Each structure stands twice: as structure tokens, then as C-alpha cells.
């Protein structure tokens, strides 16, 4: 298991591969984009996750114009992801992590309160990774409203 990434990471993240929509495999190393934006979310087709995906969709052209590629990631199956992507018309791929390997690498699995019960789930988080595989910015415990604007603001500030 790789160490949890942080904004002060000096070493590149350990490479990983994971299945993603479009019958593709995500591999961290060798990404062609200047930045990779990985956003972790709890579950397809839930209100907050749907809003977040639509916000990334609606600003996708701006994000890619800044040299970044966006990928959503959750524990949902590829089938669920394919349906979610099609339903919302997402122009980016979704990574499936049912075994929680990537979620664990990024330390986003947390105990959360759901209707008064403690449950283990994905903490909504976003990471910007540079072309060298280093985390250059992270947001944890993300609130959906205005989050994509924060990501855009950060990307615009980069040389």
C-alpha cells in the first residue's frame, strides 16, 4: 500500500492501474495531460455525486484547456459507471475501484455518519496530480457547491 498523498508530497505517487469506462484501463504513469484531476465520490446516482459529476461535465472544456484531464472514481462497478456516464453525458471516464485499492492509496476511506449510524465510505476528495505523478493540490471533505470553481482557480494559477 502506498503512503497517503499530500499537498507537500516530494515523491511521486506509486503507479497504479484500474479499470475504467469505455473499456479502458487507467494508469497513473505516462498520462499525457499536464495535470490529472482525480475526484473521489461515494456513489453513482446519488444527489451530491450527480451534481458534482454534472459540474465537472459543465466545466470540462475549461479544465482541458488548462492542460488537465478529469477522472471520477468510486467503488461502483463498471456497469454502474457506464450507466451513470451515459445518463449524464459525461465527457470523461469513470474509474471503478470495488476492491478499494486506489481509495486506500489516497486514504479516502473514512467512517461517516449516515442517518445516525456509523458507516465506512468514501470521503469526497479531489487530487490534482502533475505530469511527474506528484500531488500538487488536494481537497478533502469536499462540499459539492463551488468545488469545481476551486479546482479551476487552482489550475489557472499554475504555470
Amino acid at each position: 500500500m502506498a503512503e497517503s498523498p499530500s499537498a507537500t508530497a516530494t515523491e511521486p505517487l506509486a503507479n497504479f492501474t484500474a479499470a475504467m469506462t469505455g473499456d479502458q484501463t487507467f494508469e497513473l504513469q505516462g498520462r499525457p495531460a499536464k495535470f490529472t484531476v482525480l475526484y473521489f465520490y461515494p456513489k453513482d446516482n446519488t444527489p451530491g455525486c450527480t451534481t458534482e459529476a454534472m459540474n465537472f461535465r459543465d466545466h470540462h472544456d475549461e479544465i482541458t484547456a488548462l492542460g488537465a484531464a478529469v477522472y471520477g472514481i468510486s467503488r461502483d462497478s463498471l456497469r454502474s459507471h457506464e450507466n451513470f456516464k451515459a445518463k449524464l453525458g459525461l465527457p470523461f471516464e469513470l474509474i471503478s475501484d470495488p476492491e478499494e485499492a486506489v481509495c486506500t492509496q489516497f486514504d479516502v476511506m473514512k467512517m461517516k455518519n449516515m442517518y445516525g449510524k456509523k458507516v465506512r465510505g468514501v470521503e469526497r476528495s479531489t487530487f490534482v496530480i502533475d505530469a511527474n505523478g506528484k500531488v500538487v493540490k488536494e481537497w478533502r471533505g469536499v462540499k459539492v457547491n463551488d468545488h469545481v470553481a476551486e479546482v479551476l482557480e487552482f489550475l489557472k494559477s499554475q504555470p
Side-chain angles (χ1 to χ4, degrees):
M1 176 173 79
E3 286 193 26
S4 171
S6 70
T8 59
T10 57
E11 295 295 317
L13 294 166
N15 190 37
F16 65 87
T17 59
M20 69 179 173
T21 52
D23 201 26
Q24 299 178 57
T25 300
F26 178 91
E27 184 169 6
L28 181 62
Q29 289 183 354
R31 304 289 330 145
K34 183 177 175 183
F35 295 104
T36 299
V37 177
L38 281 181
Y39 80 91
F40 289 80
Y41 64 97
K43 190 154 182 59
D44 292 343
N45 294 304
T46 56
C49 298
T50 297
T51 299
E52 184 176 28
M54 290 188 308
N55 289 343
F56 274 110
R57 176 198 67 197
D58 294 348
H59 295 282
H60 186 257
D61 289 346
E62 293 171 78
I63 292 168
T64 58
L66 294 168
V70 175
Y71 301 90
I73 182 167
S74 78
R75 299 179 298 172
D76 292 300
S77 69
L78 279 175
R79 183 176 181 174
S80 176
H81 277 347
E82 291 288 3
N83 291 336
F84 188 55
K85 182 182 173 200
K87 177 180 172 182
L88 298 180
L90 301 179
F92 52 86
E93 305 301 334
L94 300 175
I95 300 168
S96 178
D97 188 30
E99 303 297 320
E100 301 175 3
V102 182
C103 289
T104 300
Q105 180 176 347
F106 282 81
D107 193 28
V108 299
M109 295 305 300
K110 304 292 181 190
M111 291 305 293
K112 301 169 13 173
N113 280 319
M114 185 167 290
Y115 306 113
K117 291 184 179 181
K118 291 277 190 187
V119 295
R120 189 167 168 273
V122 174
E123 176 184 48
R124 193 180 307 277
S125 305
T126 301
F127 300 86
V128 177
I129 303 162
D130 71 10
N132 297 316
K134 293 181 183 176
V135 173
V136 292
K137 182 70 175 171
E138 68 179 55
W139 293 266
R140 293 183 179 269
V142 166
K143 302 295 182 217
V144 173
N145 294 341
D146 301 321
H147 175 60
V148 174
E150 293 172 340
V151 173
L152 273 168
E153 185 177 317
F154 174 77
L155 291 170
K156 288 175 183 175
S157 75
Q158 298 306 293

